[in-house]
Amino acid sequence: MEVKLKDFIEPGKILAFVNFRGSFQKLKNNAKISYIVDDLFLQNISVHKYLEKKLGNYSKEKFLDACRMVLLDAAVLNRNVSKLSSTEAKKLRFVEALLFHSETLLFVHFEKGFLFKSRSYYQKLFLKLIKYGKCIILVTDDLSFLMGMLSCFYFFEDKGYRLVSDFYDDQIYQVIPMPPVIEYVKYLEQRGLKIEHYLETKEVLKAIYRSVERGEHL
């Protein structure tokens, strides 16, 4: 479905579109908004030529700074964009967005392909960017990636969307994967353990430890 992004954008905020099936692939980046989509590049040009085409005469120093920020090896500058891996392609689009100084950054399934350490780094980076007035929009079906960054998200359905503040809402897991921590808590509840609806594994483990100390059994 189509949405008017301007109705959602709010400086200094992170928001998420879950189960969203619209497309941003054909939209162009600018100083207002940049789209960090998850497609591979098809052009047969170098990264340097690609950036010149998109940005004109960009600052190499700012390029290096942006690469360090998004964990992209600056040596990629002389490589062909069509040869970049999926994670490198997303990092390059992230760099492009930073060089545009875009006020809003929209990420489409950005977390895919990254391991825990990198995912954690980007979560912290997004939280840092909104302190500078950026608006971050995350299009994802991976609720684990959202946990710790925001307390609610927009869940899209056939005829509209609704704001969800309960990560334990059973209805949403009819169409998207359930995060492991939530799946485990629900399993413990089925076994008779009374436990709060935590979103962090360490908190669940603490709750289990407390239950053992009280003499409860699974």
Side-chain angles (χ1 to χ4, degrees):
M1 68 177 292
E2 293 185 4
V3 296
K4 294 182 179 179
L5 288 177
K6 64 179 182 179
D7 294 339
F8 296 88
I9 293 173
E10 187 175 352
K13 295 288 185 179
I14 297 177
L15 56 134
F17 293 170
V18 176
N19 196 42
F20 182 78
R21 297 298 176 254
S23 176
F24 301 99
Q25 265 73 2
K26 294 182 179 181
L27 301 179
K28 294 183 178 181
N29 296 344
N30 53 60
K32 287 289 184 181
I33 185 169
S34 281
Y35 306 90
I36 298 88
V37 297
D38 60 341
D39 286 356
L40 293 173
F41 289 99
L42 300 178
Q43 299 98 317
N44 185 30
I45 57 176
S46 69
V47 170
H48 172 62
K49 291 294 184 182
Y50 169 82
L51 291 175
E52 277 191 334
K53 182 179 178 181
K54 293 290 184 176
L55 301 163
N57 294 322
Y58 64 94
S59 166
K60 296 294 178 61
E61 182 178 352
K62 290 183 178 179
F63 168 77
L64 295 175
D65 288 341
C67 284
R68 283 191 287 268
M69 183 179 294
V70 309
L71 305 180
L72 177 64
D73 186 347
V76 75
L77 192 63
N78 296 316
R79 291 176 57 191
N80 192 301
V81 292
S82 65
K83 303 299 182 182
L84 299 181
S85 68
S86 61
T87 53
E88 288 173 330
K90 285 187 280 193
K91 290 178 183 180
L92 177 59
R93 288 192 170 98
F94 196 170
V95 166
E96 181 184 342
L98 294 174
L99 293 179
F100 261 120
H101 300 289
S102 298
E103 298 171 4
T104 298
L105 283 70
L106 186 149
F107 296 84
V108 179
H109 300 297
F110 181 77
E111 74 288 343
K112 284 186 176 180
F114 292 112
L115 299 178
F116 176 80
K117 185 176 181 180
S118 294
R119 286 163 61 104
S120 179
Y121 172 84
Y122 291 120
Q123 288 172 326
K124 294 174 183 176
L125 178 57
F126 294 155
L127 290 169
K128 184 176 181 180
L129 286 173
I130 62 173
K131 292 181 179 179
Y132 293 92
K134 301 290 186 183
C135 177
I136 304 294
I137 302 176
L138 303 172
V139 178
T140 180
D141 290 341
D142 186 346
L143 295 194
S144 295
F145 188 62
L146 302 182
M147 294 174 182
M149 286 194 292
L150 42 77
S151 58
C152 58
F153 53 88
Y154 293 98
F155 183 76
F156 285 79
E157 300 168 308
D158 291 339
K159 297 182 180 180
Y161 60 86
R162 60 188 174 96
L163 189 62
V164 176
S165 58
D166 181 10
F167 280 76
Y168 281 78
D169 183 342
D170 285 322
Q171 187 176 354
I172 63 178
Y173 298 119
Q174 295 177 17
V175 292
I176 64 169
M178 183 181 293
V181 64
I182 293 178
E183 187 174 13
Y184 188 55
V185 169
K186 287 182 176 291
Y187 164 77
L188 294 176
E189 289 178 329
Q190 292 173 357
R191 296 292 299 272
L193 181 64
K194 294 181 179 180
I195 185 172
E196 291 188 34
H197 285 175
Y198 295 111
L199 299 179
E200 295 185 43
T201 302
K202 63 180 180 180
E203 296 300 330
V204 175
L205 294 176
K206 289 178 182 178
I208 294 173
Y209 179 74
R210 289 193 295 269
S211 71
V212 172
E213 284 189 320
R214 292 192 300 265
E216 298 177 6
H217 300 281
L218 296 178

